[in-house]
Amino acid sequence: MASDGGYAAFPDPSPPGVIVGRYRITGRLGRGGMGTVWRAEDELLGRQVAVKELLLDDGMPDDERRGRRERALREARTAARIKHPHVIVLHDVVEQDGSPWIVMELVDGRSLAEILAKDGPVPPREAARIGAAVTGALHAAHAHGVLHRDIKPANVLIENGTGRVVLTDFGIARVLGSTTLTEAGAFVGSPEYTAPERMSGQSAGPASDMWSLGVLLCAAVRGQSPFRRDSLGGVLHAVVFDEIRPPVELGPLLPVVTALLERDPERRMSAPEAEERLRGYADPSNVSTLPNDIPAPTKPPPTAPAVPTKPRRRTPLILAALSILVVGALGAVALVQHHNAGNSPALAATAPGRAAGATAKTTNPSPSPSRSPATATAGSTAKPVPAGYRLVVDTKGFSLAVPDGFTRSYQPPRVFYFSPGEVFRIGIRTAAPGHGGPLAVMKAQHVDGPGTFKGYRDGFVTETTRAGNPAALWEFTWDGFGDGGGARRTYDLCWTEGGRQYDVWVSSPVAKAELGREYFDSARDTFQPDQNQN
């Protein structure tokens, strides 16, 4: 059955009649935990509206009924404060037979959740358009001190004909500084889309809504949240602890989503920056940023390599909270300790240029007789060599895994490993530590980026660590070498270890950025310096 007004339709509407002598109910549009949404005709003004009825149980205690009524009034006050083209318009709030009713504009369209369920995932450009609109709505809400706290596809409506995007259902929104009206220990929101700080019982802020936006974008291009699991405990574990694997279908949207899915809210991308970047991606004329020829997969491909995270210790308290959540006790999320600061840096990149006249030669050095390259030294964090790769022990004092078929070229001060045709490029450099450490080095290159790389864009630097050592990640897109290969996406990790500074980067075409990131992940994870040469 087709939906009506942007809400999932239900059979047998059984309309309650006329509300306050003015709003004639003509059908039921949808129902959620907070109430039922009805289609109605405003007989005074002669227009169609949506009317939300708060569900009140006659058997509930009086104080709970009062709390429910107050929540409805709060939703009305919240929505009324926000004037934005992508926020649902509130017309009226009335009370009949002791129950509040909220009268809103009727959006003639479907929710994003229904679009995904019936039509499948949307292309990256459409996801960017939807995301930019939602981000603008969130920016307006945050400017009024309002957090939405329930960003998900079901609360994003797409108007028929115009394609207008509307953020709705501020039913669990919270005004910053106010006291929540939920019961003590209760949890409001959709766990798959909820930020880790909220799942861990920490205070929420505007950044929490931005995390949810990042998950929404993943769901838009993949059809479901990357944190979907078979149990509530599994969802909690995925959001708070598991490696974050954004879907490869994001394509060039990956940098924005990666910056939104930072577990540390202080590092998360802000609404103004996200809106600007998403609008740029959504612009049809911006072909270099978001090409239209990204193929839509006929079946779900494997997820992208994980955003690097540190291993986290599972304490008995966390395990106890998880076991409680598995049996449905949502209030237990507040017991989970917060271990997330700095644990989900965005992937980073650089795009060093190709040395003029470079020629590549194949080398696959034999392992030193004193140490097998496949055996990690004491204290090493290097991971096993993945299938389709080979381990090389380079004469410049390091080893790492490179894809089969890549060839080596030494162009001082870097060692390069090129794919056939130099489509993908891995670069390694060792040097004395730079002034201020890796973060200062990467930030300086980021600042110089527009003057160094034609079409420099989407650059950002994230402070992180590697094997407990200071590190920084840098990622950006640029227009490429001018050889017909098009725009390139590049990834870079710079860190200090054993008195040396190491720099490992991968450069790839934008259209193949997910494969480039896989090469980067493998190079980063398997890299091992030869401390004997330091």
Side-chain angles (χ1 to χ4, degrees), residues 27 119 132 143 162 168 261 269 367 401 410 437 449 493 519:
D119 302 339
T162 67
T168 187
L261 295 184
M269 183 177 284
Y410 179 49
L493 177 67
Y519 293 159

Side-chain angles (χ1 to χ4, degrees), residues 269-353:
M269 183 177 284
S270 66
E273 184 177 4
E275 182 180 9
E276 179 182 2
R277 294 194 181 191
L278 289 170
R279 290 199 184 282
Y281 291 144
D283 183 356
S285 65
N286 199 354
V287 294
S288 62
T289 300
L290 187 60
N292 282 313
D293 58 358
I294 297 175
T298 57
K299 62 180 180 179
T303 53
V307 173
T309 59
K310 297 181 192 174
R312 283 166 286 280
R313 181 170 58 93
R314 276 68 167 171
T315 66
L317 178 61
I318 294 169
L319 295 176
L322 284 171
S323 63
I324 293 172
L325 279 172
V326 168
V327 297
L330 272 171
V333 296
L335 300 177
V336 182
Q337 293 181 342
H338 187 58
H339 290 287
N340 302 321
N343 285 337
S344 69
L347 287 173
T350 184

Side-chain angles (χ1 to χ4, degrees), residues 134-295:
V134 172
T135 308
L138 288 175
H139 188 198
H142 297 163
H144 286 83
V146 175
L147 309 180
H148 189 281
R149 302 204 302 167
D150 199 21
I151 304 299
K152 59 184 180 182
N155 287 337
V156 176
L157 309 181
I158 313 296
E159 190 172 47
N160 290 334
T162 67
R164 174 185 170 224
V165 178
V166 182
L167 179 61
T168 187
D169 204 351
F170 282 79
I172 66 168
R174 180 176 179 180
V175 178
L176 288 170
S178 68
T179 302
T180 179
L181 294 176
T182 57
E183 296 179 76
F187 180 84
V188 290
S190 303
E192 289 181 41
Y193 294 87
T194 300
E197 61 269 19
R198 287 192 60 215
M199 296 289 275
S200 302
Q202 308 298 308
S203 60
S208 300
D209 281 343
M210 300 312 296
W211 168 282
S212 301
L213 173 69
V215 184
L216 179 86
L217 290 169
C218 292
V221 300
R222 189 67 184 274
Q224 66 179 31
S225 159
F227 303 108
R228 178 165 296 179
R229 300 294 187 273
D230 293 336
S231 68
L232 187 57
V235 172
L236 170 66
H237 194 279
V239 171
V240 180
F241 298 118
D242 281 355
E243 290 182 322
I244 300 172
R245 294 182 176 271
V248 296
E249 295 92 336
L250 285 166
L253 296 183
L254 180 62
V256 171
V257 172
T258 302
L260 291 171
L261 295 184
E262 285 278 0
R263 282 200 170 103
D264 182 352
E266 293 186 359
R267 295 180 176 177
R268 216 166 284 156
M269 183 177 284
S270 66
E273 184 177 4
E275 182 180 9
E276 179 182 2
R277 294 194 181 191
L278 289 170
R279 290 199 184 282
Y281 291 144
D283 183 356
S285 65
N286 199 354
V287 294
S288 62
T289 300
L290 187 60
N292 282 313
D293 58 358
I294 297 175

Side-chain angles (χ1 to χ4, degrees), residues 480-500:
F481 300 111
D483 55 1
R488 299 184 68 83
R489 190 73 192 169
T490 53
Y491 309 86
D492 190 10
L493 177 67
C494 177
W495 77 97
T496 55
E497 181 177 355
R500 299 289 290 173

